[in-house]
Amino acid sequence: MEQLGKRSAARLDTVLRHLCPRLGAAPAPISIPTSAQVSVVPHSGGFCYTLDNDLLTTQQRQFYEDNGYLLIKKLVSDEDIERFRREFMRICKREVNPPGAMIMKDESLRSQFGQSEKVVNKVQDFQEDEELFRYCTLPEVLKYVECFTGPNIMAMHTMLINKLPDSDKQTFLHPMHQDLHYFPFRPASRIVCAWTAMERADQDNGCLVVQPGTHKTTLKPHGYPTWEGKTNKLFHGLLDEDEKTPKVHLVMEKGDTVFFHPLLIHGSGINKTSGFRKSISCHFASSECYYIDVKNTTQEHLEKELQEVVRKKYNATSVELKDIWNFRARLVQGERINL
């Protein structure tokens, strides 16, 4: 534990040195593409979105090619899920405090329940919590991730969602969105999300909803929805959603894992039950991906909002988007190249 604490402290010190006024010379700039559009290079057999591998069947590759997601049943064991659940409860009780993690809560319930499972709706950026981060290193998950990213794999963005029972105000409805909106790195075809249900997820408790085939579109403008009631910080949605596009509710059992493309339009409904719908997820990317400049793109306003959040959290005077992602990112397989 002492060694873990030292490693976490060192990583946190590194990012804080970036967030605060520069203490040393900046690294030499490198020339990288700045386009926010998607670059897809076809692979053998005409597949653009998966790499040649010995794991996925031709039918599975074609399904992902056509739809932008692939559901693998019972991939993560009950034992691992229960370990993740216990660690989440420890975080809720403040028995552990992972460096850099964002513990998001329903503030309206805190006075009634304190910080507990009934209040905490998300643990984001848990890369410094070794127990939760085990999810990102599970061999059964990584063998599928490699089919999308290749052998050099970075864990870029981590979340454990605890969807609370909701009200008519739809507080925990996540509007339809594309995850690439949040990411300043490309190409999109070498990024994939692994999302595992920690209990049954269905239409009653707010399962994932996807629009198959939308991964073939470009990144669309996002912003805060205009519906009534409270809107969660950074829960952006499509500004111009096509209601006619067919939607599929992904009913999943405990341990089921869906892998999906960062341009796939998706969201989740409200939890109409009295229980809590948990999931754990990680966005993985090839370490050969590269950072882009989001200025003058549809992502620029998100950059400013995220920078403000980090400035307040760390009391920093300046912060760059790349610094934030450098702290979040951890190598889980192969060699670290760009990210």
Side-chain angles (χ1 to χ4, degrees):
M1 287 298 291
E2 182 179 355
Q3 186 175 12
L4 168 61
K6 288 181 179 178
R7 187 186 68 78
S8 297
R11 278 170 54 81
L12 191 58
D13 177 69
T14 298
V15 77
L16 288 176
R17 285 171 64 88
H18 281 290
L19 298 181
C20 296
R22 304 295 186 193
L23 299 179
I30 57 175
S31 177
I32 58 173
T34 58
S35 170
Q37 295 303 311
V38 185
S39 173
V40 177
V41 179
H43 297 278
S44 63
F47 294 113
C48 296
Y49 302 104
T50 55
L51 299 169
D52 293 339
N53 63 85
D54 297 325
L55 179 64
L56 298 182
T57 66
T58 301
Q59 290 78 13
Q60 286 175 319
R61 293 186 72 179
Q62 190 62 55
F63 186 91
Y64 190 86
E65 190 80 10
D66 295 339
N67 297 282
Y69 69 95
L70 182 65
L71 179 59
I72 305 297
K73 304 292 289 183
K74 205 62 181 173
L75 183 64
V76 178
S77 70
D78 288 354
E79 179 185 1
D80 278 325
I81 287 175
E82 290 312 306
R83 287 180 61 175
F84 301 146
R85 190 188 309 276
R86 286 195 296 270
E87 183 69 358
F88 171 75
M89 298 302 291
R90 292 180 67 208
I91 292 172
C92 288
K93 296 175 183 177
R94 291 192 175 94
E95 293 176 6
V96 290
N97 183 26
M102 294 178 63
I103 315 299
M104 306 178 80
K105 317 174 188 71
D106 184 335
E107 297 296 341
S108 67
L109 297 174
R110 186 190 285 192
S111 60
Q112 185 178 356
F113 298 110
Q115 182 167 308
S116 70
E117 181 188 29
K118 297 180 179 180
V119 175
V120 177
N121 58 43
K122 181 192 293 187
V123 177
Q124 182 167 295
D125 300 333
F126 58 67
Q127 69 277 354
E128 296 300 334
D129 184 295
E130 291 302 307
E131 182 62 22
L132 291 183
F133 193 75
R134 278 196 323 104
Y135 172 76
C136 307
T137 65
L138 292 175
E140 58 268 37
V141 172
L142 289 180
K143 70 179 183 180
Y144 280 96
V145 171
E146 186 172 348
C147 298
F148 307 97
T149 65
N152 300 312
I153 306 174
M154 299 293 296
M156 298 298 295
H157 185 237
T158 53
M159 290 193 299
L160 193 154
I161 301 285
N162 180 46
K163 188 178 280 285
L164 307 178
D166 216 326
S167 64
D168 292 337
K169 294 181 179 180
Q170 301 187 345
T171 307
F172 303 112
L173 176 73
H174 198 154
M176 302 300 283
H177 63 283
Q178 297 166 298
D179 287 340
L180 193 66
H181 168 68
Y182 295 96
F183 303 151
F185 42 89
R186 301 291 187 276
S189 57
R190 297 285 75 85
I191 304 169
V192 70
C193 179
W195 191 102
T196 298
M198 293 177 63
E199 49 238 322
R200 178 179 169 84
D202 53 34
Q203 287 181 255
D204 289 333
N205 63 7
C207 65
L208 283 179
V209 182
V210 301
Q211 293 183 342
T214 51
H215 65 301
K216 298 178 183 179
T217 63
T218 58
L219 180 60
K220 302 180 184 301
H222 288 60
Y224 283 111
T226 57
W227 59 50
E228 294 183 10
K230 180 182 175 182
T231 301
N232 285 302
K233 191 74 171 173
L234 296 174
F235 270 38
H236 293 180
L238 295 176
L239 292 179
D240 186 21
E241 181 184 350
D242 184 358
E243 296 290 345
K244 296 179 182 179
T245 304
K247 294 183 175 71
V248 173
H249 290 80
L250 295 185
V251 176
M252 299 169 64
E253 300 296 336
K254 181 179 179 180
D256 291 357
T257 302
V258 62
F259 297 88
F260 60 90
H261 191 280
L263 280 170
L264 180 73
I265 296 174
H266 67 287
S268 65
I270 64 172
N271 180 1
K272 295 177 284 188
T273 73
S274 58
F276 305 92
R277 196 274 284 154
K278 292 181 180 62
S279 62
I280 188 168
S281 66
C282 178
H283 280 87
F284 297 92
S286 167
S287 74
E288 297 170 61
C289 288
Y290 50 82
Y291 288 105
I292 64 166
D293 185 353
V294 300
K295 288 181 173 57
N296 300 316
T297 74
T298 60
Q299 295 175 264
E300 184 173 14
H301 69 289
L302 172 69
E303 176 184 32
K304 294 176 181 177
E305 186 175 356
L306 188 57
Q307 286 172 328
E308 184 60 28
V309 169
V310 172
R311 270 195 290 265
K312 289 180 179 179
K313 183 177 177 64
Y314 293 107
N315 194 28
T317 55
S318 65
V319 57
E320 294 181 6
L321 192 59
K322 186 177 177 180
D323 294 333
I324 298 171
W325 285 98
N326 277 338
F327 177 61
R328 285 173 164 171
R330 282 184 66 180
L331 182 71
V332 290
Q333 181 179 295
E335 179 184 358
R336 188 166 191 171
I337 299 173
N338 293 329
L339 297 181

